[in-house]
Amino acid sequence: MEVEQLTSENWNKLCDMWNDPEHKKRFKINDDNRTKLKYNHFMGSKAFVAARAEINNMNDLKALYTFGESSMTIDKIVDAVLGTKSGYIKGLGYGPKPNTTRATQRRTTELEDSLKKAKLEAASTQNELQK
């Protein structure tokens, strides 16, 4: 049941739904199933099997390239297994991406304007002192 606005009518429908024996039974089954899980899923739409395969593949490559004659960095291993995505900072690896939101751009502009104003004030004060 999707509730767009919580009106008294919608609240009554929710209360009726929560008191419905079928709903309580379904809730109990779902609750029991959640407690049986060994791991909490946080991979989005990617299945556990696919994530486990990627991790195993990374571990195999890491063992191969760190103990073998050829060496491969962790970043290159991750690229080989997961592929590269645009937006990574070339030469810096997988650190934080630069924040380029409109708010950041607006704040940068405000700071630049403030700096220009401060420079003009400093120049005018210096001119007055030299007189």
Side-chain angles (χ1 to χ4, degrees):
M1 171 183 230
E2 187 175 320
V3 179
E4 294 177 13
Q5 291 183 350
L6 191 57
T7 62
S8 60
E9 182 182 343
N10 289 339
W11 177 252
N12 290 333
K13 286 180 183 179
L14 281 172
C15 290
D16 291 341
M17 180 185 73
W18 291 328
N19 285 324
D20 182 28
E22 278 298 312
H23 179 78
K24 288 182 179 183
K25 180 180 173 185
R26 187 176 36 219
F27 174 80
K28 178 70 174 139
I29 292 170
N30 289 341
D31 191 42
D32 291 344
N33 288 338
R34 287 298 293 166
T35 59
K36 293 176 189 174
L37 292 177
K38 293 181 182 179
Y39 306 102
N40 288 328
H41 192 283
F42 58 91
M43 300 289 297
S45 62
K46 186 180 291 187
F48 275 128
V49 176
R52 176 69 60 190
E54 287 176 353
I55 290 170
N56 289 340
N57 195 1
M58 274 192 258
N59 288 336
D60 292 345
L61 282 175
K62 183 178 177 184
L64 178 69
Y65 284 104
T66 54
F67 298 117
E69 292 178 13
S70 175
S71 64
M72 190 177 203
T73 65
I74 296 295
D75 284 346
K76 288 185 181 182
I77 292 171
V78 170
D79 283 344
V81 175
L82 301 178
T84 58
K85 293 182 180 179
S86 62
Y88 289 120
I89 304 168
K90 287 195 175 216
L92 297 179
Y94 290 89
K97 296 178 187 176
N99 191 352
T100 58
T101 62
R102 290 181 194 251
T104 303
Q105 292 170 348
R106 190 177 329 116
R107 180 70 179 142
T108 303
T109 305
E110 289 172 1
L111 289 172
E112 287 171 350
D113 291 344
S114 176
L115 179 62
K116 286 178 186 176
K117 185 178 178 183
K119 283 182 179 180
L120 288 173
E121 288 176 6
S124 108
T125 304
Q126 189 174 15
N127 286 339
E128 288 178 14
L129 289 174
Q130 289 177 351
K131 288 183 183 180

